[in-house]
Amino acid sequence: MGQAARRFTELRAWQTSNTYKQAIYRACAEGPLSRDWARRRRLEESVAEPPDHLAEGFRRAHPGEFARFSVLARASLIESQNHLREAVENRYITEEQRGELDALAEAALREVAGLLDYLESAQALHSTGRSRGLRSITVPPKSDSSLQPRPAQSIHSRSYGDAAGNSPRRSTKEARRRSLS
């Protein structure tokens, strides 16, 4: 079993995303990319978002909320990879530089995927119980294949009432009213 993370900075997903962000910032500080402000801003913003999303999701009240922010982090990482390809096409960076930066992005994507697998597991739901927020999370090692993502739950399988739209709460009120009459 992995070690519990008590701060967002202890998450491997945040650490690898932050390492990637710092490498992109260094690449944007020199060469032709440093002079194209619009392209540089798009690339820098796309790599700044994953650590931000992971930090924000870390203290959410439910693993599902944290998972939503982790999905946003993953999308931003992929967006940044697209910006790197555009930078090669416009000769701002070399294919070799893109490959090195892309390897960092892929490492971050793997860690975010592992975090998502955990957040969607029964173990994550059980470990939070009825607490008001994630106090800490324990991310299992990558090789632990015993954790399976939880099945998706249809909104129709939840207790929202019957097919006629009657809510359980309304049924209870009607039952009380009938018993009083």
Side-chain angles (χ1 to χ4, degrees):
M1 189 56 58
Q3 184 178 5
R6 299 220 175 263
R7 292 177 186 81
F8 67 87
T9 56
E10 297 172 356
L11 294 171
R12 290 187 311 258
W14 184 88
Q15 292 167 352
T16 55
S17 294
N18 196 55
T19 299
Y20 175 52
K21 176 183 78 171
Q22 292 169 349
I24 291 291
Y25 285 176
R26 284 190 300 273
C28 287
E30 54 192 46
L33 191 54
S34 68
R35 294 182 292 279
D36 186 339
W37 292 102
R39 189 172 310 279
R40 176 181 177 170
R41 188 185 78 246
R42 285 195 309 267
L43 180 56
E44 287 179 339
E45 286 175 356
S46 68
V47 296
E49 290 172 356
D52 292 349
H53 290 311
L54 294 167
E56 186 172 354
F58 183 71
R59 286 290 182 185
R60 292 297 172 143
H62 190 273
E65 291 180 75
F66 190 4
R68 183 171 57 90
F69 282 93
S70 299
V71 167
L72 293 172
R74 181 179 60 193
S76 294
L77 287 166
I78 293 168
E79 176 188 356
S80 70
Q81 288 179 304
N82 183 61
H83 291 316
L84 288 175
R85 292 184 185 289
E86 290 173 356
V88 170
E89 290 169 5
N90 289 297
R91 298 187 180 143
Y92 290 125
I93 62 173
T94 65
E95 181 62 37
E96 182 181 337
Q97 288 171 307
R98 187 204 60 80
E100 291 169 5
L101 293 168
D102 203 50
L104 293 172
E106 288 296 325
L109 282 166
R110 281 191 300 277
E111 292 297 339
V112 170
L115 178 60
L116 277 166
D117 287 345
Y118 170 74
L119 292 170
E120 293 172 348
S121 73
Q123 181 184 1
L125 294 173
H126 177 72
S127 70
T128 58
R130 293 191 174 269
S131 67
R132 295 291 297 155
L134 288 171
R135 300 293 180 241
S136 68
I137 65 168
T138 304
V139 181
K142 284 183 171 187
S143 62
D144 187 357
S145 61
S146 65
L147 295 177
Q148 297 297 319
R150 63 187 167 96
Q153 183 180 21
S154 165
I155 62 168
H156 302 294
S157 66
R158 297 181 188 150
S159 180
Y160 289 119
D162 61 15
N166 297 319
S167 72
R169 188 174 188 177
R170 185 182 316 154
S171 300
T172 305
K173 285 181 181 179
E174 289 174 11
R176 264 190 257 142
R177 192 176 8 185
R178 280 190 222 124
S179 69
L180 295 174
S181 44

